[in-house]
Amino acid sequence: GVPGIGVKTAAELINQYGDLENLLAHAEEIKQPKRRERLIEFAESARISRELVRLRDDVPIDRTLDTFSVNQPDSGVLIAFLEEQGFQRIIPKVRGRFGGAATGRAAPAAPDSGRAPAPTTPDNALAEKPPGEKVEYELVQDVAALTRWIAMATAAGVVAVDTETNSLDAIRADLVGVSLSIEPGRACYIPLAHKVAAAQGAFDLGDGGSDAGGNGDEIKQIPRAEALSLLKGLLEDPAVLKIGQNIKYDMLVLARYDLRIDPIDDTMLLSYVLDAGAHGHGMDELADLHLGVETVKFKDVVGTGRKAVTFDYVPLEAARDYAAEDADITLRLHGLLKSRLLAERMVTVYETLERPLVPVLVDMERRGIRVDAARLRELSDDFAVRLADLETEIHKLAGREFNVGSPKQLGEVLFEDMSLPGGKKSGKSDAYATGAEILEELAAQGHDMPARVLDWRQLAKLKSTYTDALLGQINPDTGRVHTSYSMAATTTGRLASSDPNLQNIPIRTEEGRKIRCAFVPKDGHVLLSADYSQIELRLLAHVAGIDVLKDAFRNDVDIHALTASQVFGVPIEGMDPMVRRKAKAINFGIVYGISAFGLANQLGIGRGEAAAYIEAYFEKYPGIRAYMDETKEQARKQGFVSTLYGRKVHLRGIADRNPSVRNFAERAAINAPIQGGAADIIKRAMIRLPGELKAAGLDAGMLLQVHDELVFEVPAAQVDATRDVVRRVMEGAAALSVPLTVDVGAGKNWGEAH
């Protein structure tokens, strides 16, 4: 209610003064003249605005929450009301779902003679199918049947949708068929591009996936273009809710045919929001867990190994049973899971963080990011030369040649030929363990060869995972790589990138930075990188209420230098960089519940010294230990912890009798609210950014999310304006007791921008 004070400034003022009345009482103390004058002048306006948005919690209520559950209406009364008010389009849907005859001027039926009434299934029974009742799965092979199903789905207002394709890569996949379900146990499959297998005597001349639907008259199916033209109205109808299991995949596939699904619900995301960490969220597991149904498995339909075929070669009857079941199970799961959101207070997480993020990710994945193939080949060649040099050095240190990539041979060289300490054999393989932790410990003891093997492994991984693999993942149609973001793969809410994974390119090594330099913008554009600065430490300061850390962030003090000064008792001025490095390791390690053993390995010091550092840290910041203890106790009592925005992270091993399992769960409990809170904040920013950029008249496109970083492709002439919008939205994505800061850079490649 005060002109000139926006959301971000208002949040800062309320966080600083506690509430509106206290702020207004101290308005004269505010240093900024305009802000002070406006708060004094418009004090009453602010009070009125507060009353306008205040939720009244003092209204007497003599009913419990469960008495407000949805009940089936009196269809006669409802239809009479709708007719009186002129809601003609809604009346057929109401009559189809709840029954009832027209009382006056009934809405005319649709001109299509094949239209059938919608199922008489109330919302609270969408998951139910009478025990023992046979399912009804229909194969839709002509326009009349498809039109009938579209009419039923439109009348129902809710339909489960699933696509079948010839590839797991949604960006390149061809659509083979679509399945729909409108009530439990009832679904259909619409084949669109099935083919006759070559073994049956048909030759695929390269046009089997065309809109003609394959090999002429051999397979009866509606031409794909004609079917999609009919389905377009249903899929884009704002009055019909489309439900999917991992619906992002279906949206990406259909986007290739200029179809956009809206509005949507996703059973995978519903399960994820309700039960993250408790179990997996794939359809087969959910069907077994919630419905007691063992589904038809994909491999049972397409085969395995050399005999495997793509879905377009699956016989229609088998395709129908598999695809229609997917839609049927999805609809039933939706009926069960959606109703739990309100009862378990998870509506906000689903409706403001997960569901609106789906179309944002669809646009990002379709956009992809351009890769300089020539640069990648140069890097791959360079890495190959360096790997050969490292192998030569390793063989010289070992005193003989062996396969460096073989853990068995490496173990024999280290612990038998060279007699290094710490060799332990696995009972199953009878081979020495040669994992990274063991090699790092040997390297810390001053042994050169394990250190060189670590260098070799890192370089080999970069070559195989990125410089070699990325070349094969460039889409020939776009010249870009299109990563896929998994929305339910982590327990904390973080997105996971795959095919290719662009979130794990190391940024602290020279090789990793070189790989990032191979990601480039299109002509006339630059890449812009926006990265939250120390967001997890800021969240820790906010959540744990650590005043000294809050003050440091507010005053833009070097947080790692401050910690070093607090813990080690040294002045900030003229501080030894190695002392600051130790403090940095402790700061970030504490967020992940680091142990003395872990810190000792990271810093190359003794375990006792590391334990003393951690103890000194807790003495200086007692609120952090209190937060950790309270969080672990909360996790033990309820089995989960929550983020700032209410996301639940279930911890299966928190009460396990095995100390190692329990300790791992406790560390996860400490980290989850912080890492999950950071994930929630960047998701809030991602959801808002496309609209804010468009409203500002900017043509920037969001390409990547790498944990706390967002990467954009921006016209060169719009860099400054885009930087301002991105920083404003990202820094305003959360109102914390410490400021969020975003570092923004731009350049001709990703490495230069970050």
Side-chain angles (χ1 to χ4, degrees), residues 209-233:
S210 70
D211 288 341
N215 298 280
D217 297 327
E218 285 130 341
I219 295 179
K220 184 181 180 183
Q221 54 193 339
I222 308 170
R224 186 163 56 200
E226 184 177 358
L228 292 179
S229 177
L230 292 170
L231 285 165
K232 183 179 177 68

Side-chain angles (χ1 to χ4, degrees), residues 480-495:
R480 296 177 169 235
V481 293
H482 301 263
T483 187
S484 175
Y485 287 103
S486 300
M487 300 182 69
T490 69
T491 58
T492 60
R494 269 191 170 189
L495 297 173

Side-chain angles (χ1 to χ4, degrees), residues 559-622:
I559 200 72
H560 303 311
L562 173 68
T563 296
S565 178
Q566 292 278 334
V567 174
F568 305 125
V570 296
I572 293 179
E573 295 297 328
M575 180 178 291
D576 183 342
M578 288 304 296
V579 175
R580 182 184 180 277
R581 175 178 170 265
K582 290 179 181 179
K584 183 176 181 179
I586 299 173
N587 271 333
F588 286 118
I590 288 295
V591 177
Y592 290 89
I594 198 169
S595 64
F597 177 79
L599 184 62
N601 278 352
Q602 194 168 336
L603 294 179
I605 59 178
R607 197 176 305 181
E609 187 180 356
Y613 287 167
I614 293 174
E615 191 58 36
Y617 186 92
F618 285 140
E619 286 178 6
K620 292 298 181 181
Y621 303 131

Side-chain angles (χ1 to χ4, degrees), residues 279-341:
H279 53 71
H281 310 285
M283 194 193 72
D284 293 341
E285 184 172 349
L286 295 180
D288 179 50
L289 180 67
H290 295 298
L291 304 173
V293 173
E294 185 176 349
T295 56
V296 178
K297 303 301 185 287
F298 185 71
K299 65 179 181 180
D300 295 334
V301 177
V302 299
T304 57
R306 293 183 178 181
K307 294 183 178 180
V309 298
T310 50
F311 202 84
D312 44 351
Y313 286 107
V314 174
L316 293 192
E317 288 74 15
R320 173 200 61 204
D321 294 344
Y322 170 81
E325 182 186 66
D326 276 3
D328 176 23
I329 294 297
T330 298
L331 184 73
R332 285 194 257 167
L333 287 171
H334 182 264
L336 282 172
L337 298 174
K338 188 71 179 282
S339 62
R340 287 176 52 194
L341 287 180

Side-chain angles (χ1 to χ4, degrees), residues 158 245 269 473 499:
V158 179
Q245 166 73 17
L269 294 181
Q473 291 171 315
D499 302 319

